Amino acid sequence: MFFLRTIRGLTPALLGVGVFLLIGAASLAALLRYSDFATWYEYVQQPYLWRVVRFSLWQALLSSGMSLLIAIPVASCLMHRRFVGRSLLLQLFSVSMVVPTIVAILGLVVVYGRRGWLNQLFGVEVPLYGLSGILLAHVFFNMPLAVRLLLQGYDLIPAGQWRQASQLGFSRWAAFRWIEWHYIKKTLPGAFVLIFMLCFSSFAVVLSLGGGPKSSTLEVAIYQALRFEFDLNKASFLALLQVLICSAFALLVYRMAPINRQDASLVTDSHYLVRDSNWAKGGDAVALLCAFILVIPPFLAIFDPIFSPVFLETVRSLVLWNAVFVSLKIALPAAFISVLLGVCFAVLARFCMDRAYLSKLPTKIEHLGNMILMVPGLVIATGLFLLLRDLGWGLPSSYWIVVWVNAVMALPFVLRALMPVMYQQEKRFRHLYVSLGVRSWARWRLEWPLIRMGVAQALGYALLLSLGDMGVIALFGSQGLVSLPLYLFQLIGAYRLEEGACVAVVLISLCLLLFYGSTRLVGGGTRVKH
Amino acid sequence: MTTSFSPFFSASLVTFGIALSPIVLAVDTLNVYTYDSFSSDWGPGPKIKANFEQDCDCVVNFVALDSSVGILSRVQLEGQASQADILLGLDLNLMEAAKKTGLLVNHSVDTSAVTVPGGWSDKTFLPFDQGHFAFIYNTETLLNPPTSLKDVVDNQDLRVIYQDPRTSTPGLGLLLWMKSVYGDNAAEAWERLASHTVTVTKGWSDAYGLFLKGEADVVLSYTTSPAYHMVAEGENKYQAAPASEGHYPQVEVAAMMKNAPNAALATRFMQFILQPGFQSTIATGNWMLPVVALDQALPAAFDSALAPTKNLVLPAKDVAQYRNLWVNEWLEATTR
């Protein structure tokens, strides 16, 4: 009786995950229906393909490794120190991952380019094109993401440990060595895989800053097969190859990774000081400087057009506000669906936690949600469209395809933000809830104040990602569906780079505003920490 | 009871009627698939829409895709069910692939007035604008601009940016340009070019953006690009480098869908393409050249783009047949 009731309580979650799986499998199947497996052997024999795979792997490894290496000291510093502009920096960090690539590239060029600030001020010329350019851009995009993910790991450190460290007079190094590292260690593999996949399938950055076809990724080949040749057969082969490589890599990392055991102890907002020293100060300064130099100048370059005379004119145009409206029309439902899916995944995963026969499932469920990152959005969207077309609802559905694909593409980020807090609640209060018979809505009401921060952050990520989406909307754009990034590309495509830069400012400001708004409204005002 | 109810009833009927009126009074709609900068507010789209709607009693609906290739892959995706009447903005080199989809139908437009070099005889595609690929340079920073494609390839001091032929039409244009100048020796030429190439970008926008930021001496674009800077910005420093071997052309074409939901209107629009109401918007809207002679002269800024040049063009059949081979040759040569 008890068991049946719990299962019934899980129905919505099972339904959510089921729908996600069903649509994913169906769109992949739709694509495979157009495939001719006999020709796949031919593709495998192309030497260029393997060169591309090798380079994709190599640059992704380097990019994700470097992002994390810089992120660790930065996160530690942000954890321990409170300074003016800290929260703004953190907001900026979350926006950096959605800056449209072309805008970010032009921003990087303004700073590091041949006639860039660095060269003008110090006479230093960075070899921007080639592997170094790719790394620079990838670290710009992903180091901030890594910092935020690590800070989430820090959140799980029980206050008691900090208190004790403070009482025992731990130095920063000792605190890091004996406390922080144990938590970072558990966060690292997930963050590493996430960033690795983002970099592995990176495409516009790699092409623009790579210097030539020598540095090309598998994603280019997929793009070409799908957009230039409409060769569904080749596209599905390449997409499957990408999934295969990424899953193999993820499997390898997770196999070596320590198991992420959740702690049940209480988290508080109080901030304990560990013993400061000149060494600690110096280390923090270096770390922060690194982060500042990497992230802030390109942002300043992006925001620079505010001072141009074109800015006011651009902001006043109706087309721009129309594009803002369309972007919101896509981003809001997409983010909502994404968080809903994320909650379904989390509820299911934490139900399986510490239960006989099921205890291995939670990480598997989490990985299932992450799988989506391995398949390019373009491929999912195409598969989904083909599926709907064969069912006879081709065109009118394109808006919902854009929304859905954006929602599932954001899922890995949503899960990263949501899972830790959800697990923690389960760990702490499961027995209490069970013994008191608190279920479903009653339980949600009790839990809400404790998880709303996580939900807010998940919503923020999903909003930002859908707001910045370029790939999927480009496939289905139409007169009524011109989003902000698409508008930006239209401007640049018509030589209007300056106006395009102004639109980019609007887009980024909107991202900041929405992220701030979601952490304030959903996350609940004063509890905003990072 | 009825007396108090009926005003409410009739009022709601009226509101309902108003809400539905766009559907009830629906005028014919012509769906034109095109690329985004064509249909955008500053492109030629809105003027063309207004000019055509003037006497057709219809609505022109532009569906803006992200690129020339985007138009083709969109209709391929939609297949028979496509709502498109007209495809506007395919490239010369996409014609063969577009024809192969079997989704297009012949036009019945008289093309004798078309001024494309060598004339126009294709029955499926109708040209609507033209230009030539060219390398653009900044006269203030580059004092010895190249005068031929060979100059661009051989001058090791020249920093070059071009587009990837796998992802963009200008990139494909350069591939064919190189092929028509170097023929079987293209691989070595690519290798020489690769040694002083700054970067190869995904599309035109990235490349041109990097060039304007001063990252390269020359960038692959169109002979008409300087006209934009002169007319819209009053800026004379950007110029197109001449190529003594001749330039490779870009001709953009339109075609009509076999299953066009509104075939009569589509036929009418195809006729309209070669008329002044369409052609006069091209120069300062799409920054390309019209394909028929117009009464009104183009702005002086276009003069250099109009200068006669040897037209290098490879047969569309060869392009379709060998494109993959040539792309692989480029890949091999530039990654060696």
Side-chain angles (χ1 to χ4, degrees), chain A residues 309-355:
Chain A
V310 193
F311 186 70
L312 267 179
E313 213 176 289
T314 314
V315 172
R316 275 204 216 113
S317 80
L318 194 69
V319 196
L320 174 85
W321 294 104
N322 229 342
V324 169
F325 172 72
V326 169
S327 287
L328 290 177
K329 203 173 92 180
I330 293 166
L332 289 173
F336 183 71
I337 292 173
S338 193
V339 170
L340 217 61
L341 275 177
V343 169
C344 289
F345 270 80
V347 165
L348 208 61
R350 73 176 186 180
F351 172 81
C352 298
M353 209 167 84
D354 297 333
R355 275 181 213 270

Side-chain angles (χ1 to χ4, degrees), chain B residues 8 65 76 105 127 149 155-156 203 213 218 254 273 294:
Chain B
F8 169 73
L65 284 318
Q76 281 178 300
V105 70
L149 182 65
N155 184 354
Q156 296 293 321
K213 294 263 186 235
V218 295
I273 286 177
L294 294 170

Side-chain angles (χ1 to χ4, degrees), chain B residues 104-154:
Chain B
L104 303 176
V105 70
N106 284 355
H107 65 77
S108 51
V109 183
D110 174 20
T111 55
S112 55
V114 168
T115 56
V116 173
W120 192 263
S121 58
D122 196 277
K123 287 274 167 278
T124 317
F125 298 96
L126 190 63
F128 69 86
D129 70 11
Q130 58 176 328
H132 282 96
F133 292 111
F135 282 97
I136 304 296
Y137 68 97
N138 182 343
T139 49
E140 285 171 12
T141 52
L142 190 68
L143 301 173
N144 294 314
T147 56
S148 64
L149 182 65
K150 288 195 166 124
D151 268 0
V152 174
V153 171
D154 291 335

